[in-house]
Amino acid sequence: MKRFDMINTVGKEYFAPNLETDEFSYHRAYKEKNLTFKPIKAKNSERKYSTIDLRFVKDNLTVLIETKDNFSDVEEAAEEQLSAYVTYERGLNNNKIIAILANTTNGPESNTVKVWRGTVSDRDLLKDENILQSIDHYKEFYSTRTNNKAKVIKNTYALNELLHSYGIREKLRSQFVGTCLLVLKNTKSNLISKDMNTNMILAEMKHILETLLSDDLNKAEKLSLLDKNVLDSQDIRSLSSETFRNILTNIKEKIMPYINDQSTAGQDLLNLFFVTFNKYVGKDDKNQAFTPDHITDFMAKALRINRNSVVLDPTCGSGSFLVRAMTQALDDANTEEEQERIKKHQLYGIEYDENIYGLATTNMLIHGDGNSNIIQGSCFNLEQDIEKWEIENRDKKTGETFKIDKVLMNPPYNATKAQVPSSYSDSWNKKNRKPKADPSKGLYFVKYIAHQVQKGDMAVLLPMAAAIGNNKTLAQYKKDILEENTLKAVFSLPDDIFYPGASVPACCMIFELGVRHDSSIPTFFGYYKDDGFVKRKNLGRVEKVNEDGIGAWEAIEKEWLDLYRRNKEVVGKSTTHCVTADDEWLAEAYMKTDYSKLTQDDFQQTVNDYLSYLVKEGRVYEA
């Protein structure tokens, strides 16, 4: 395809000017923005990359095209060159990027292209893109359309019922389905063929797991847990061949088509599957709170997770925070080498429950690895774990160590004595009564983790009771935390954020670690109660969408982040206030009410709620 045809195909009106010898000059573009341009030198020559053949910009998307007579003749060098232009583009703006190699030769290969979503790497290669398309087509790979989410939730609920009918116990279902997804994504065998029996399917599953974990230091431990807890369980081994194939067919046809991990929405869907499935299975602990994916996304963005971040989730559960942190860091990476460094050295997780630990491993593998530094055990051994990680992950060439500087977590709100050190649980005595669960509501976890990490930022989900601190235990932990750390922000989240799992109202706190809190500097408080999600029977909370299939969440998240980053006060949504450990850490205590939005229905609902409360408490008497 000739240059003229390429321009018309992608969109002539979006063709970027600033040309130098008919090519886009990054040196000139940087100069115009008063930025320092540092040219990248080719590995095997003295050439310095500076100009790209074609560049298109529409809204917040940039399409870069480097043309060759036949790029397959110089593929490695051509990809290196295109990767340099991606690096320049990231330094120039915050646009999403589509990077393309395109042939200009005539003949049968004249339309051949190679397309990447973001970084020029195996992870971001769009394998099904083999002809040049319009810029609107490429925008779909960063689409926020959410219609498929409702469909995958419905199908997940139906799958749960199917597994129940086949006698697979609740605690096995998530890990079993996750393993099936992983195998279907990575196998070359036709597992649903009538030639495959149960033993053959299980053998293929174990082979895939062993292959994917080949470079993992904890390979033997992870394989043992996944085999023992799932694949070797009686529930799975006793499945008939026909039943097993039926389950795999259901997953392949009704779950996998909606999981596209090469688009932004696809990443959401993949993690949404785990969250939804875990919410619908029955739990021994009915108060278990799996963090919704859009909240993990928001919290990771609030901490500005990027390619240089070293992230810890010390209570990682199914791995949703680590998945989101990895996705954001990989999307920010300039090169494939940076992506590999992120996956191997910059993601750390700990999970106490060995069954859920297996799910975290599987979840990360489905997203392209990053599971190497997830371990099973207690987060209260963190000091030793950090030392071990730094030794094992020290760069052999440079001697560089990767020190944790970002913490994302959702600790247990009612941790049992088995989950915490005895030195702490022995202190639970209160008026000759021994609480069965952590009286700090998770603040003990915050204090300990913050003390061990010491430097960086933490975003943590906690029950609102911890922010209010209406008893001596909570007040003391708030005081202890502020003696070493700064409370930067607190976001009050929707009351039913964990529905249909835990019912506890929650908030997100953000701390700057290792810097004592200064009560003369205002803390930001966000009243973030409307996230654009609504409750639906048998579906949980689903995102509202418009007639074009665009979800409400993207605009809401953007507003939430903008208010926080600009420390902006908006009536009814946010405020700032100087606080100490003795104060409430919630927007509700300091924010002005926007009375213009109150209606008669709001008043009536409040009265109804109060009357219901009085009846429930037995405090309604006849006059």
Side-chain angles (χ1 to χ4, degrees):
M1 183 180 287
K2 299 301 182 183
R3 175 187 175 93
F4 177 79
D5 296 324
M6 290 183 185
I7 293 173
N8 284 334
T9 299
V10 178
K12 184 177 181 180
E13 63 270 41
Y14 308 113
F15 183 57
N18 206 1
L19 300 182
E20 184 175 287
T21 62
D22 254 1
E23 297 178 343
F24 180 85
S25 169
Y26 277 106
H27 182 271
R28 181 178 296 176
Y30 270 64
K31 186 176 180 181
E32 289 176 356
K33 285 195 169 187
N34 293 318
L35 298 172
T36 301
F37 179 73
K38 296 179 180 179
I40 297 173
K41 183 179 175 182
K43 290 180 181 178
N44 298 317
S45 74
E46 293 300 314
R47 179 184 177 185
K48 294 179 180 179
Y49 302 122
S50 177
T51 59
I52 187 167
D53 292 324
L54 301 172
R55 179 176 179 267
F56 304 82
V57 179
K58 182 178 181 182
D59 301 327
N60 63 343
L61 175 70
T62 299
V63 175
L64 303 175
I65 302 179
E66 181 61 24
T67 64
K68 301 293 178 185
D69 287 342
N70 188 344
F71 61 74
S72 61
D73 294 338
V74 289
E75 197 154 3
E76 184 176 345
E79 290 181 12
E80 176 193 317
Q81 182 179 357
L82 186 59
S83 181
Y85 300 139
V86 170
T87 301
Y88 296 154
E89 189 67 26
R90 292 196 193 281
L92 196 61
N93 54 56
N94 292 319
N95 284 2
K96 306 295 186 183
I97 297 172
I98 293 291
I100 301 174
L101 286 179
N103 283 345
T104 59
T105 53
N106 294 321
E109 295 188 17
S110 61
N111 287 341
T112 300
V113 298
K114 199 170 182 181
V115 184
W116 290 266
R117 175 188 174 274
T119 307
V120 180
S121 66
D122 288 344
R123 174 215 180 227
D124 289 328
L125 178 64
L126 302 176
K127 296 181 177 64
D128 295 330
E129 294 293 309
N130 47 39
I131 62 171
L132 200 63
Q133 304 273 11
S134 71
I135 197 167
D136 287 328
H137 170 82
Y138 295 125
K139 285 191 72 173
E140 286 300 307
F141 288 101
Y142 292 100
S143 171
T144 57
R145 296 180 187 276
T146 58
N147 285 344
N148 286 348
K149 287 188 178 182
K151 186 69 173 178
V152 79
I153 294 172
K154 289 180 181 179
N155 290 350
T156 299
Y157 183 79
L159 177 60
N160 183 52
E161 294 297 311
L162 180 69
L163 297 179
H164 173 72
S165 70
Y166 287 144
I168 298 176
R169 285 168 292 174
E170 295 168 344
K171 68 178 183 179
L172 289 177
R173 293 176 199 164
S174 293
Q175 182 61 71
F176 173 58
V177 175
T179 306
C180 290
L181 270 173
L182 188 61
V183 170
L184 287 168
K185 182 180 179 182
N186 290 279
T187 187
K188 295 181 180 179
S189 301
N190 182 8
L191 296 184
I192 60 177
S193 166
K194 291 184 178 180
D195 296 330
M196 298 291 287
N197 60 37
T198 295
N199 289 335
M200 295 168 70
I201 294 170
L202 288 174
E204 177 67 4
M205 285 185 160
K206 292 181 180 182
H207 171 69
I208 293 295
L209 287 172
E210 187 162 353
T211 301
L212 292 172
L213 290 168
S214 59
D215 296 328
D216 196 320
L217 293 172
N218 300 312
K219 173 182 175 179
E221 173 190 282
K222 290 176 179 177
L223 283 174
S224 176
L225 280 174
L226 292 172
D227 288 347
K228 179 184 71 174
N229 293 341
V230 184
L231 301 184
D232 289 337
S233 68
Q234 185 175 354
D235 289 12
I236 307 305
R237 286 187 293 106
S238 62
L239 291 173
S240 71
S241 300
E242 183 180 358
T243 296
F244 212 144
R245 292 195 300 268
N246 186 32
I247 292 170
L248 290 170
T249 300
N250 187 290
I251 294 170
K252 185 174 183 178
E253 294 180 355
K254 296 185 178 180
I255 300 295
M256 288 192 71
Y258 302 100
I259 297 175
N260 174 13
D261 58 8
Q262 289 179 320
S263 74
T264 302
Q267 294 284 5
D268 293 343
L269 282 171
L270 192 53
N271 203 48
L272 177 71
F273 167 77
F274 287 105
V275 174
T276 303
F277 202 88
N278 276 283
K279 281 180 175 178
Y280 278 109
V281 300
K283 292 287 179 185
D284 293 332
D285 178 6
K286 294 294 183 181
N287 216 29
Q288 192 161 9
F290 284 86
T291 313
D293 185 75
H294 70 291
I295 298 300
T296 66
D297 180 63
F298 166 69
M299 290 170 64
K301 286 178 179 174
L303 288 195
R304 295 184 182 275
I305 301 296
N306 59 58
R307 66 186 182 280
N308 297 313
S309 301
V310 183
V311 182
L312 167 69
D313 182 350
T315 58
C316 71
S318 62
S320 59
F321 277 121
L322 292 175
V323 166
R324 181 50 56 190
M326 180 173 73
T327 300
Q328 291 186 15
L330 293 179
D331 281 349
D332 186 54
N334 293 323
T335 65
E336 189 164 20
E337 290 76 13
E338 284 186 352
Q339 290 186 336
E340 289 304 309
R341 184 195 71 201
I342 289 164
K343 291 188 286 187
K344 290 182 179 179
H345 302 300
Q346 294 175 224
L347 300 160
Y348 299 92
I350 305 171
E351 174 50 40
Y352 178 80
D353 185 294
E354 66 176 20
N355 290 312
I356 300 178
Y357 163 69
L359 182 60
T361 295
T362 306
N363 199 2
M364 295 294 281
L365 284 170
I366 288 176
H367 280 85
D369 209 2
N371 79 93
S372 299
N373 298 309
I374 300 178
I375 61 175
Q376 193 266 321
S378 170
C379 66
F380 296 105
N381 295 322
L382 186 56
E383 186 174 7
Q384 301 95 293
D385 292 334
I386 289 176
E387 183 179 354
K388 176 185 174 184
W389 283 328
E390 290 183 353
I391 292 172
E392 291 179 347
N393 290 298
R394 184 175 290 120
D395 190 295
K396 294 179 182 179
K397 293 182 180 179
T398 66
E400 177 188 5
T401 58
F402 297 88
K403 295 186 179 297
I404 295 163
D405 62 355
K406 305 287 184 183
V407 179
L408 290 160
M409 71 169 174
N410 179 9
Y413 302 162
N414 294 298
T416 64
K417 291 190 174 184
Q419 295 173 291
V420 299
S422 58
S423 58
Y424 172 53
S425 61
D426 288 345
S427 69
W428 288 4
N429 294 345
K430 181 180 179 182
K431 295 182 179 179
N432 299 319
R433 186 167 58 87
K434 295 183 178 180
K436 294 181 179 179
D438 177 13
S440 81
K441 301 297 182 185
L443 286 174
Y444 178 77
F445 285 78
V446 174
K447 176 185 174 182
Y448 173 82
I449 302 299
H451 182 72
Q452 297 303 322
V453 176
Q454 295 186 337
K455 188 176 181 179
D457 298 294
M458 172 191 288
V460 55
L461 278 178
L462 290 168
M464 284 191 169
I468 295 171
N470 57 0
N471 64 49
K472 289 183 179 180
T473 299
L474 296 175
Q476 185 60 51
Y477 273 100
K478 289 169 66 178
K479 181 179 179 181
D480 292 345
I481 290 169
L482 293 194
E483 285 180 352
E484 293 189 13
N485 312 282
T486 294
L487 181 66
K488 294 176 65 176
V490 181
F491 313 118
S492 299
L493 299 174
D495 293 336
D496 52 3
I497 195 70
F498 299 121
Y499 175 84
S503 58
V504 58
C507 61
C508 170
M509 298 183 190
I510 294 186
F511 295 95
E512 182 180 2
L513 306 181
V515 178
R516 290 188 176 90
H517 184 79
D518 185 344
S519 60
S520 68
I521 298 176
T523 294
F524 177 87
F525 292 96
Y527 188 71
Y528 291 173
K529 291 291 186 177
D530 181 9
D531 60 354
F533 282 66
V534 292
K535 290 191 288 187
R536 291 284 185 266
K537 186 177 180 181
N538 293 336
L539 293 179
R541 298 182 80 244
V542 297
E543 185 178 1
K544 292 184 288 188
V545 297
N546 63 20
E547 58 186 14
D548 296 321
I550 304 299
W553 168 244
E554 182 187 26
I556 291 172
E557 181 185 45
K558 184 177 180 180
E559 180 185 31
W560 286 9
L561 290 169
D562 182 65
L563 291 174
Y564 165 56
R565 289 170 181 167
R566 294 169 60 192
N567 225 31
K568 189 175 179 181
E569 295 188 80
V570 174
V571 174
K573 291 186 177 180
S574 61
T575 189
T576 61
H577 198 81
C578 296
V579 294
T580 68
D582 296 326
D583 297 311
E584 289 189 15
W585 294 353
L586 290 172
E588 290 87 327
Y590 312 109
M591 192 174 62
K592 294 179 181 179
T593 302
D594 185 0
Y595 293 104
S596 66
K597 294 184 178 181
L598 293 177
T599 66
Q600 181 64 33
D601 289 341
D602 295 322
F603 175 76
Q604 187 62 55
Q605 184 63 52
T606 302
V607 171
N608 292 346
D609 291 342
Y610 182 61
L611 287 174
S612 298
Y613 165 76
L614 293 177
V615 171
K616 182 180 178 182
E617 297 294 316
R619 294 167 61 181
V620 177
Y621 306 99
E622 292 184 6

